[in-house]
Structure formats: structure tokens, C-alpha cells
Amino acid sequence: MPKLLDDASISAALQTLPAWERAGGSLVRTAQLPSFPAAIAVVDRVAEIAEEADHHPDIDIRWRTLTFRCSTHSAGGITELDVELARKIDEQVAAAQG
Amino acid sequence: MPKLLDDASISAALQTLPAWERAGGSLVRTAQLPSFPAAIAVVDRVAEIAEEADHHPDIDIRWRTLTFRCSTHSAGGITELDVELARKIDEQVAAAQG
């Protein structure tokens, strides 16, 4: 079972994840992609990563704007799994934004 | 410019779309798929349909549960475009649910 991160650890992680913010028990990021197909392609890549890790973010699709929420439901908040997933989402968004 | 449907037209459409409800200026449906990859596959098919029609639903992904919201933002509410999109989403969900 992954351990909940304490506030100091979350703050330290967020310093290396400038696109993300903490919203209660989740890490949240919104990203605008160049087009709707580009946004869906990012969803697909993130979905593959999430399925491999068996750790799934919430994803909201609003045309070409995506919102990701990472939380470890079984632990009731933010764990290292969420920090890792946030980093991988950033990589996919950066690759798609060119 | 698509015309807003009046209340009677929306009610009539909803009688043929039992999985959907009206929520203000949107048609809304939630669907549970057999797995997360199956849910993402439905998102992909709906995204193709939406891009072809240049009419994009809001989609929320919560593991294998999808919520679709269809609204015509340019018209400020529900139009025939949303009814058509809702039908096509139903087809994709039904195909994936087997």
C-alpha cells in the first residue's frame, strides 16, 4: 500500500512540477493542446501509462483542454504514485505541445 | 447556425435516448465500460465521430466510467447536433458493452 505523502513532501514535489497544484487530496493540472486530435492522442498515451502502472488519473476533456487529477484513492490522498504519474503526464503533454 | 431545440422537442428526443438526461443546456449520460482500456477505446471512437462532425462533447474519464455532456456552445444550449451526437455515443457504448 503506497504511503500518503506529508505536506512537506508534497510541497517539495510541486516545486519540480510547476504546472501542477494541490487541490485537497489530488494533484491537478490543466493543459491546452494544439488541437482536439492532439489532446486525444495525449489521453491515449497517458491511458497506456496509467494502465501499465495500474494507477489511473481522472481526465476531463473539454475540446483541446485537458484536466488531469492524480490521487491514490486506496490511500485517501497523494502518494509517490501520483507524483510519478504527474511527471509522466508532463512528458506526454510537452511532447505533444512541441 | 443550429437552432436551439424547444422543451417539447428535447423531451421527445429524450424519450428515444433513455440513458440520457437533460442538465440545463446539455444532454448528459454516464456509462460504465467493462474495463479502463475499453473506456478509452470508446473515447477514441467518439472523438473520431466528434472531429468529423466538428461537434465535440465534454468527456470525463473516471477509470472505466465515462460521462458525456453534449451542448452546442455557439447556440447556448441543446440543438439537433447534440441529439445526433448522443445517438452516436450510445452506439459506441453499446458496441463496447457487448
Side-chain angles (χ1 to χ4, degrees):
Chain A
M1 164 81 84
K3 273 177 56 183
L4 279 182
L5 297 181
D6 60 23
D7 288 346
S9 300
I10 294 169
S11 296
L14 283 173
Q15 292 211 332
T16 68
L17 293 166
W20 294 78
E21 60 183 28
R22 181 182 187 173
S26 303
L27 298 177
V28 182
R29 163 175 197 180
T30 294
Q32 186 161 300
L33 282 299
S35 67
F36 179 71
I40 297 298
V42 169
V43 169
D44 285 346
R45 282 295 299 129
V46 169
E48 283 178 33
I49 290 164
E51 188 66 4
E52 277 170 30
D54 193 23
H55 190 62
H56 304 85
D58 291 346
I59 307 175
D60 292 357
I61 304 170
R62 300 288 181 271
W63 190 39
R64 62 191 179 95
T65 300
L66 302 176
T67 299
F68 299 95
R69 280 182 194 79
C70 301
S71 183
T72 304
H73 300 286
S74 61
I78 299 166
T79 70
E80 190 57 43
L81 293 177
D82 300 303
V83 174
E84 288 169 20
L85 182 56
R87 276 192 219 298
K88 290 175 178 171
I89 290 170
D90 275 356
E91 290 172 7
Q92 296 305 319
V93 169
Q97 286 177 332
Chain B
M1 166 80 83
K3 271 178 57 182
L4 279 181
L5 296 181
D6 61 23
D7 288 348
S9 300
I10 294 169
S11 296
L14 283 172
Q15 292 210 332
T16 67
L17 293 167
W20 294 77
E21 60 182 28
R22 180 182 186 173
S26 303
L27 297 177
V28 181
R29 161 174 200 181
T30 295
Q32 187 162 298
L33 282 299
S35 67
F36 178 72
I40 297 297
V42 169
V43 169
D44 285 347
R45 282 295 298 129
V46 169
E48 283 178 33
I49 290 164
E51 187 66 4
E52 277 169 30
D54 193 22
H55 190 63
H56 303 84
D58 292 347
I59 307 174
D60 292 357
I61 304 169
R62 299 289 180 271
W63 189 39
R64 62 193 180 95
T65 301
L66 303 176
T67 299
F68 299 95
R69 280 181 193 79
C70 302
S71 184
T72 304
H73 299 287
S74 61
I78 300 166
T79 69
E80 190 56 45
L81 293 178
D82 301 303
V83 174
E84 287 169 21
L85 183 55
R87 276 191 219 298
K88 290 175 179 172
I89 290 171
D90 276 356
E91 290 171 7
Q92 295 306 318
V93 169
Q97 286 175 333

